[in-house]
Amino acid sequence: MEIKKQLFGQTKTGEAVFAFTLKNQAGTKAVILTYGAAVQSLEFAGVDVILGYDTMPDYEAQDKYMGAVAGRFANRIGGGRFQLNGTEYTLCCNDGANHLHGGICGFDKKVWTADVEEDTLCMRYTSPNGEEGYPGTLCTEVRYHLDEENQLQIEYQAICDTDTVLNLTNHSYFNLNGHGSGTLQGQEIQIFADFYTENDTACLPTGVIASVADTPMDFRQPHEILERIDTDFVQLRHAGGYDHNWIPNCFVKEQMRKCAEVYARKSGIRLAVFSDQPGIQFYTGNFLDGIVKGKKGASYPRRSGFCLETQGFPNAPNYGHFPSTVLRQGEWFRSRTVFAFTKEHPDT
Ligand code: GAL
């Protein structure tokens, strides 16, 4: 495995942004930017399966969290408020009346520092006390490693000087027929989950843990992503497609399990997602709008990429019955996600 560094561009404020290319012996290549610690591309079996942009102005012009680390708190916190140790905290609201993916200037918009440690890329960002309304100075490290089995491994670590809340994820949009190949047609997904968290009209959990049985949310057997997406089912109507937190079965703290698998018939590419987190947001790019042109002039219209965001449950700080997302002062947060790629013979 080799890692190469090159200048990618600079932010509006003149900060240099670097691109690190991780390449294994099979020729699989991942490009990671110091802007947002974002995965900019992932070339597997000759196909670039991740949506992204070619320039910094494009990254700064979009608001889709393209490839980035979402933090401090991935997904929504209702009303931008939560209580911790009897104190109420108010966060910046950037999604109507709610807080989304860390707020107005979340981790996706920060320039991270980067070091190469042997065959791992280590990115770090220190979020000052009070940033976006969160308590405590939080040091976060995200480590990227591409192994010889074509697995992109992501490790998250964080520590804070006060009690706080934390939920870190990667917001890559995948299209296994290639970024810019159009909609998600011909790609089937399996999610190993009996339950999901039901949403309200603002995409916030209602607190109800719902069974997937007899609904279009049931992916225990593989289904085409687009097959049932426009069904007249209230959860899909609310979100304009899939945009929910599934609860993969067999959660044991700190243990990896397979959460989901996606297969594209045309390319023969299969992606399996492993995680130690209690939830996974399956989002079908319902808000993609093609406004900012993607890499090599590609267009990213609605539903042309899917995200599989391994995570704690959205709005967990406001629900006592959700797995806790509290990070105690001085304790290490540690979590892992693996995106594993394999190729089968295409059907055609
Ligand atoms: C997803 C979220 C969507 C939307 C998207 C960003 O993670 O679930 O509702 O906000 O990020 O456009």
Side-chain angles (χ1 to χ4, degrees):
M1 226 270 291
E2 57 175 50
I3 301 183
K4 280 193 182 142
K5 174 182 179 180
Q6 71 188 93
L7 188 66
F8 182 72
Q10 59 175 43
T11 62
K12 275 187 260 183
T13 56
E15 258 184 290
V17 171
F18 292 93
F20 287 81
T21 304
L22 285 54
K23 191 174 171 191
N24 70 10
Q25 280 170 16
T28 300
K29 238 174 24 184
V31 177
I32 320 280
L33 304 178
T34 53
Y35 184 73
V39 184
Q40 189 253 357
S41 73
L42 197 143
E43 244 179 79
F44 169 69
V47 184
D48 182 357
V49 294
I50 282 189
L51 280 59
Y53 302 103
D54 283 327
T55 70
M56 268 314 296
D58 290 346
Y59 271 95
E60 287 190 302
Q62 53 92 35
D63 59 358
K64 310 296 180 210
Y65 305 87
M66 201 57 84
V69 170
R72 295 188 187 192
F73 203 96
N75 214 285
R76 293 170 177 81
I77 296 184
R81 281 167 198 279
F82 68 94
Q83 287 198 1
L84 184 61
N85 303 332
T87 302
E88 177 155 295
Y89 293 93
T90 307
L91 306 171
C92 297
C93 289
N94 56 331
D95 188 54
N98 302 313
H99 175 90
L100 173 68
H101 293 323
I104 295 163
C105 191
F107 287 5
D108 60 298
K109 295 182 186 68
K110 305 292 182 191
V111 178
W112 296 56
T113 60
D115 291 296
V116 176
E117 290 176 12
E118 293 181 10
D119 49 8
T120 298
L121 175 65
C122 307
M123 309 204 120
R124 293 186 186 89
Y125 173 68
T126 299
S127 174
N129 180 27
E131 190 171 51
E132 300 286 329
Y134 288 102
T137 302
L138 177 82
C139 298
T140 302
E141 180 173 304
V142 180
R143 300 162 72 88
Y144 289 99
H145 175 75
L146 178 68
D147 68 21
E148 293 302 329
E149 278 73 53
N150 301 312
Q151 306 191 108
L152 180 66
Q153 306 194 18
I154 309 179
E155 261 179 57
Y156 302 89
Q157 293 193 173
I159 190 163
C160 193
D161 61 0
T162 60
D163 288 0
T164 192
V165 296
L166 182 72
N167 191 15
L168 298 172
T169 195
N170 177 273
H171 205 285
S172 287
Y173 291 81
F174 298 90
N175 186 318
L176 301 185
N177 286 327
H179 83 101
S181 69
T183 70
L184 297 169
Q185 219 178 348
Q187 304 183 40
E188 56 181 48
I189 186 165
Q190 191 168 11
I191 307 177
F192 305 97
D194 293 339
F195 297 99
Y196 69 101
T197 50
E198 190 186 88
N199 280 348
D200 67 13
T201 49
C203 251
L204 268 170
T206 58
V208 172
I209 308 289
S211 166
V212 297
D214 305 316
T215 76
M217 313 301 273
D218 190 349
F219 287 104
R220 291 174 296 184
Q221 296 302 318
H223 280 272
E224 284 249 355
I225 292 174
L226 300 182
E227 182 190 324
R228 302 168 296 174
I229 199 167
D230 289 319
T231 316
D232 190 16
F233 178 67
V234 66
Q235 286 298 310
L236 294 172
R237 277 207 314 269
H238 282 169
Y242 294 105
D243 191 356
H244 297 78
N245 171 59
W246 269 260
I247 307 172
N249 300 334
C250 307
F251 171 66
V252 180
K253 239 181 154 198
E254 291 164 17
Q255 277 188 29
M256 298 292 277
R257 71 206 183 294
K258 197 199 277 186
C259 299
E261 216 170 83
V262 184
Y263 177 65
R265 281 199 307 277
K266 195 167 161 209
S267 64
I269 294 176
R270 184 178 291 278
L271 163 65
V273 182
F274 299 81
S275 158
D276 55 10
Q277 286 297 295
I280 188 167
Q281 188 84 9
F282 172 47
Y283 167 57
T284 45
N286 313 306
F287 297 121
L288 288 176
D289 51 23
I291 290 176
V292 180
K293 284 276 169 275
K295 287 176 285 189
K296 299 188 173 135
S299 171
Y300 300 146
R302 185 163 188 248
R303 298 179 180 165
S304 60
F306 64 85
C307 300
L308 284 167
E309 304 155 57
T310 54
Q311 61 181 4
F313 295 3
N315 205 16
N318 288 305
Y319 285 116
H321 64 296
F322 283 3
S324 173
T325 45
V326 172
L327 176 63
R328 295 287 169 201
Q329 172 184 21
E331 280 181 14
W332 280 101
F333 169 86
R334 284 203 174 86
S335 169
R336 278 180 71 210
T337 294
V338 174
F339 294 111
F341 295 90
T342 49
K343 183 168 158 93
E344 295 167 23
H345 292 296
D347 280 359
T348 46

